[in-house]
Amino acid sequence: MPEAWEYTLTIPNDLRAVTVSRRTLRLILTAHGLIRLVDVAELLATELVSNAVRHTKGPAALRVRWAPPGTLRLGAWDADPEPPEPPRPWDRFAEREEGRGLALVQACSDLWGWQPLSRFGNRGKYVWCELTAA
């Protein structure tokens, strides 16, 4: 297993940042020999970053952290201190294209959560999830 590491990608409030984040994440995980986590990690990061870009007006960031013996944590920071809306039950998404991001995060990760942030007078939140490599 790889040693502990962490990357942070600061992104503008631009929907193209979702694709940039997803491709950067794939590169990071591949370089660290974690290709088996790429597909699920890309889905999760896409949802987290997409929410940060779509629902806020400021910059955002994707954070990717590996902690041995096998935990990958993905998180998205944004400048909006308001908590994310709780995930809705799957049956409410039968035909919808939007509004299911955190439900996907909850369903596909081993653990997820959020925390408010305040640093140097800036406020915001950090929404994260974890994947455990078996």
Side-chain angles (χ1 to χ4, degrees):
M1 286 287 164
E3 305 256 341
W5 47 261
E6 180 176 315
Y7 294 85
T8 301
L9 176 65
T10 303
I11 55 176
N13 189 282
D14 182 333
L15 285 176
R16 292 173 290 196
V18 177
T19 301
V20 171
S21 297
R22 185 174 51 245
R23 290 181 180 168
T24 302
L25 175 64
R26 175 175 284 273
L27 182 61
I28 291 167
L29 295 179
T30 301
H32 284 283
L34 296 168
I35 192 73
R36 68 189 177 285
L37 298 178
V38 167
D39 291 336
V40 175
E42 279 185 329
L43 172 67
L44 296 171
T46 297
E47 295 303 332
L48 295 174
V49 171
S50 178
N51 283 346
V53 172
R54 287 176 190 253
H55 302 296
T56 68
K57 295 182 183 190
L62 172 66
R63 184 170 153 195
V64 183
R65 183 176 71 187
W66 174 260
T71 302
L72 179 68
R73 180 176 273 209
L74 305 170
W77 167 84
D78 65 57
D80 184 357
E82 292 298 313
E85 289 189 28
R88 297 181 188 132
W90 274 110
D91 59 352
R92 294 191 183 180
F93 300 116
E95 301 297 322
R96 294 186 58 191
E97 287 291 320
E98 294 185 6
R100 54 187 179 187
L102 286 180
L104 277 170
V105 170
Q106 183 178 37
C108 296
S109 66
D110 295 309
L111 187 64
W112 82 277
W114 78 279
Q115 61 196 61
L117 298 176
S118 178
R119 187 173 185 188
F120 307 119
N122 298 322
R123 298 178 61 199
K125 70 178 165 295
Y126 182 65
V127 183
W128 56 269
C129 63
E130 291 183 352
L131 290 174
T132 304

